[in-house]
Amino acid sequence: MPHWTALVAEKKQRQLKSIPQEWLVTPPPPSTLDVTGFPESCGLLNAREIEITNTSVDVLLKRLASAEWTAVDVTTAFSKRAIVAHQLVNCLTEVFIDRALARAAELDDHLKKTGKVVGPLHGLPISLKDQICIKGLETTMGYVSWIGQYAEKNAVLVDILIECGAIPFVRTNIPQTLMWPESFNNVFGRTTNPHNVSLTPGGSSGGEGALIALKGSPLGVGSDIGGSVRIPSAFCGIYGLRPSYGRVPYCGAHNSLEGQDSILSVFGPMTNSLSGLKVFMKAVVDSKPWLKDPLAVRKKWDEDEYELTDHGSGKDLCFAIMWDDGVVVPHPPIRRSLEITKAALQKAGHKVVDWKPIKHKLLGEVARDIWNAGSAEDYMITTSVTGEPIIATMELDHADATAASFRPQNGGITAYQLWQVQKLRQNIRKEYIDHWNATASETGTGRAVDAIICPAAPYAAPPHGKNRYANYTTVWNALDYPATVFPVTTVDPTLDARDEKDPPHRFYGQFDQDVYEMYDPEKFKNAPVCLQLVGRTLEEEAVIKMTEIVDAALAAAK
C-alpha cells in the first residue's frame, strides 16, 4: 500500500478537479482576518446570485415553489458561493455540483409539467457533514484509511431529504475521529473561522459552520454527540439545533464509536435563518423516518407543542439563565450576551430567573468515561490500515500543545465498569428532572421553568487548538435535552474589555483560571457570540418556538 501521505495527495488532486475551474478566485491576503465580505466583492457572483444567497430558507422555498426562481438558478448561486467559501476557509470535502445541477433540472421540469413541488424542500440546496453517506461518493470522515471507500447506498436521511425535494451539493469538513470541538484532519487539513481566520470554527461540524456563515449553503446537516452542531453554530454566528436521540434518522451514516449506544450522536440542522430549523425538522419528521430507521422515534410533528400548549401558549414564559456551570466562568462577551438576552426577554414581558446547575462536572466526566470506554481502540483500529497518525492536538504550534481532557487517556474500561458509569448517568438524569420540576415553586407561572438559556462555550471562538472545554454543550447530550443555538452579538474590544480594577472571580479550579487568563478582547475581536436554549427530552417543537420568541425579543430590543 502507498504511504498514507501519497493517498492524501492523490485524494486532494481529485478534490481539486471536482471544483469548476472558472470559479477559482484570488483570495485576500492572509493578513485579512475577516473574510465574510469577500464572496460578494470577489466578482464571481452576479447581483441575482447575491440576492438568492442572502435569502432566508422560508422565502427561498416560496420562490422555488412559485417558479419565480428555478432550482437550477438557486443551486448554481449557492454552489458558486460554496466554492468561494472553500477557497477562503477550507470547508469542503466532497464537491458534486454536476450531480446537484442535474437533480435541480429534474425538479424544474417536474414543476413545469405538473405545477406541483416534489416535496416541502423542493429545490433547496443542502450541505452535509462528511459522514452522511451518498451513493457513489467516498465518505472518509477525515480518515486516510477510508479514502477509496465508495458508498453503495444513501444514508436514510439523504433518501428522505431527496424525497422532500432537497438537493445535496457538497459535503463539509470535520476533525479526524469526529470527537473534537475543532475541525482538522490529515486528509483535508484545517477549516478556519470566516469572521476571523485566526480562530477556530469549532467542531466537529466546523466545515458546516464556516460554509453557512459565508452563506455558501442555506441549510446544512451536522451531527452532535457532545456539542458538534452547537459549538460550530456558536463560533460561526448561525442557528443550530441538537434534537433528542432518534428524532432525525442516523441509519446508514458513518460514525466514530459505532455500537456505543448510551450517549448517541444525533443529526441536526444548521442555518443562517431561524426558519430553517422548523422547515428541516418538520420535513424530516413528516416523512415518518421510523419506517426506515429502527432507532428513529415514532413521534409525529406536534403542532400543539410548537404552539406551546404546555407552556402557557407562549404568554408570560419563564426562562432560567445559567450564568456559569460551576466549573468554568465564561469570558466577558458571553456574560454580556446573557445580560442582553435577559433584558430583552424582560422587556418582552417574560420572567427570568437564575438556573442553578447540578453535577455538571460529573455529567461531563460520565460522558467522557462512556465514550472513552473503547475510543482508543476504535481510533487505533481505524487508522491502522494506512498507519496515519492519530491527531493528538489541533494547535498550530505543537510545542505549545497540551493534552485535551476529552481524548482517551488509557486503553479503556471493562464492560462491568462501563455499566456502573451508565447506571450513575441514569441516576443523575433522574436527579436533574426532579431539580427542573422543583423550579415550579419560583416561576410564578404555575409551571416549572419553560427553558434554560446558557452559554454554548465559556468563550467566543478561540484561536486554533485552544478549544479544550465542551462541557457547556456535552451535559445536555448526557441528559438528552434538545438545545438550539442562536446569535446575540459579537466580541467588542471596547465593551468587553476587562476592568483591570476588578479582581478576578474566585476560581473554581486551575482550569477555570487558565480559561480566565486566555482572554484578550483583541484576540477574539469580531467573533460571534451565541447562546443555547435548552428544553426537555423530545421537545424539539417547543424548543424551536421558544427560540423564535427569544430571537424576536432580541430583535425588538435592538
Side-chain angles (χ1 to χ4, degrees):
M1 178 175 273
H3 191 264
W4 69 265
T5 53
L7 294 170
V8 168
E10 185 269 340
K11 175 63 184 167
K12 291 284 283 181
Q13 276 301 114
R14 285 192 287 120
Q15 185 200 38
L16 197 57
K17 279 184 185 156
S18 69
I19 295 169
Q21 298 303 293
E22 63 275 19
W23 294 353
L24 296 178
V25 294
T26 304
S31 57
T32 306
L33 296 180
D34 181 353
V35 296
T36 52
F38 185 80
E40 291 181 22
S41 65
C42 70
L44 181 65
L45 281 77
N46 62 38
R48 187 153 183 233
E49 289 165 340
I50 290 170
E51 184 191 357
I52 287 169
T53 52
N54 277 305
T55 302
S56 65
V57 168
D58 53 338
V59 176
L60 271 172
L61 287 167
K62 280 181 191 135
R63 291 185 181 172
L64 283 158
S66 68
E68 183 183 340
W69 287 345
T70 67
V72 167
D73 285 347
V74 171
T75 303
T76 301
F78 279 105
S79 296
K80 285 169 86 169
R81 194 153 180 156
I83 296 302
V84 174
H86 178 62
Q87 294 170 79
L88 296 170
V89 294
N90 191 42
C91 53
L92 304 182
T93 57
E94 304 296 323
V95 178
F96 43 100
I97 290 161
D98 288 350
R99 184 192 282 217
L101 288 171
R103 175 65 180 151
E106 287 172 10
L107 292 170
D108 287 336
D109 191 46
H110 176 88
L111 183 59
K112 199 172 176 182
K113 281 178 178 166
T114 66
K116 292 177 183 170
V117 294
V118 163
L121 303 178
H122 182 99
L124 188 72
I126 286 192
S127 48
L128 303 170
K129 185 175 184 174
D130 196 75
Q131 64 173 123
I132 303 175
C133 297
I134 299 175
K135 186 178 179 179
L137 296 179
E138 290 162 283
T139 309
T140 64
M141 213 175 78
Y143 278 123
V144 180
S145 299
W146 290 355
I147 292 173
Q149 291 186 16
Y150 291 84
E152 292 179 9
K153 59 183 178 181
N154 292 333
V156 166
L157 181 58
V158 173
D159 280 337
I160 285 174
L161 291 172
I162 290 169
E163 283 164 21
C164 288
I167 304 171
F169 71 118
V170 289
R171 278 216 312 250
T172 53
N173 205 25
I174 34 70
Q176 180 203 55
T177 77
L178 296 185
M179 302 297 289
W180 205 299
E182 298 194 35
S183 296
F184 169 74
N185 61 70
N186 292 321
V187 183
F188 299 105
R190 185 185 305 274
T191 301
T192 58
N193 192 314
H195 297 278
N196 181 335
V197 294
S198 71
L199 306 176
T200 178
S204 60
S205 313
E208 281 299 328
L211 174 67
I212 293 164
L214 285 164
K215 300 180 181 174
S217 171
L219 183 69
V221 183
S223 67
D224 193 312
I225 193 171
S228 290
V229 160
R230 290 160 293 154
I231 292 165
S233 294
F235 288 179
C236 295
I238 63 174
Y239 298 93
L241 168 68
R242 180 255 170 215
S244 294
Y245 309 147
R247 202 74 207 275
V248 177
Y250 214 99
C251 186
H254 279 349
N255 203 4
S256 271
L257 319 187
E258 286 193 293
Q260 182 282 113
D261 63 355
S262 185
I263 299 177
L264 294 168
S265 176
V266 298
F267 287 137
M270 300 169 69
T271 176
N272 271 309
S273 48
L274 183 48
S275 63
L277 300 185
K278 183 186 179 188
V279 161
F280 174 88
M281 286 303 294
K282 190 172 185 316
V284 171
V285 170
D286 283 348
S287 300
K288 299 183 178 175
W290 51 87
L291 297 176
K292 296 170 181 171
D293 180 344
L295 298 185
V297 174
R298 192 184 185 96
K299 185 193 170 190
K300 294 179 179 178
W301 177 264
D302 189 335
E303 196 62 28
D304 284 343
E305 190 182 296
Y306 176 71
E307 295 302 336
L308 300 179
T309 308
D310 294 337
H311 297 272
S313 298
K315 310 281 188 292
D316 307 322
L317 292 167
C318 182
F319 295 96
I321 289 188
M322 187 178 91
W323 298 94
D324 71 63
D325 68 350
V327 186
V328 177
V329 172
H331 286 171
I334 312 298
R335 174 90 194 184
R336 180 167 64 87
S337 71
L338 289 165
E339 286 163 355
I340 289 169
T341 306
K342 178 180 179 178
L345 287 168
Q346 287 174 327
K347 190 178 171 189
H350 302 292
K351 189 168 180 183
V352 182
V353 297
D354 290 344
W355 183 263
K356 184 174 178 289
I358 59 164
K359 301 194 173 175
H360 279 219
K361 186 170 191 282
L362 184 57
L363 274 167
E365 289 166 357
V366 161
R368 280 194 296 276
D369 286 348
I370 287 170
W371 298 328
N372 290 344
S375 61
E377 191 173 2
D378 184 68
Y379 307 155
M380 186 184 70
I381 288 170
T382 307
T383 54
S384 65
V385 179
T386 54
E388 68 168 303
I390 297 171
I391 292 168
T393 177
M394 300 265 158
E395 299 269 9
L396 294 170
D397 179 4
H398 286 208
D400 194 23
T402 50
S405 62
F406 42 80
R407 300 306 271 178
Q409 308 300 318
N410 55 43
I413 57 178
T414 68
Y416 181 77
Q417 289 168 329
L418 175 60
W419 295 344
Q420 304 322 298
V421 179
Q422 289 168 333
K423 181 178 163 188
L424 174 59
R425 172 176 170 248
Q426 275 176 7
N427 295 339
I428 301 172
R429 288 180 78 181
K430 171 62 175 147
E431 275 185 70
Y432 221 97
I433 215 168
D434 293 344
H435 177 59
W436 192 317
N437 291 339
T439 61
S441 63
E442 58 178 299
T443 59
T445 62
R447 305 183 303 275
V449 158
D450 292 297
I452 302 165
I453 289 172
C454 66
Y459 29 62
H464 298 289
K466 303 297 184 190
N467 190 21
R468 303 207 313 273
Y469 189 73
N471 243 31
Y472 274 99
T473 50
T474 299
V475 288
W476 311 124
N477 297 80
L479 294 164
D480 193 25
Y481 291 168
T484 54
V485 159
F486 58 92
V488 180
T489 184
T490 54
V491 176
D492 181 321
T494 309
L495 290 174
D496 297 317
R498 258 202 195 123
D499 188 340
E500 294 308 318
K501 293 192 288 280
D502 281 351
H505 61 270
R506 192 170 166 195
F507 297 122
Y508 287 119
Q510 184 58 49
F511 189 72
D512 185 25
Q513 184 173 342
D514 292 347
V515 170
Y516 175 87
E517 288 169 356
M518 77 185 263
Y519 182 63
D520 171 356
E522 284 297 332
K523 196 182 281 180
F524 290 87
K525 189 175 179 179
N526 205 44
V529 183
C530 298
L531 295 173
Q532 288 184 95
L533 184 144
V534 182
R536 304 226 208 183
T537 307
L538 290 170
E539 200 184 25
E540 286 75 26
E541 291 90 336
V543 164
I544 291 169
K545 182 66 168 188
M546 287 190 276
T547 306
E548 290 170 357
I549 287 168
V550 174
D551 198 62
L554 286 166
K558 277 179 188 166

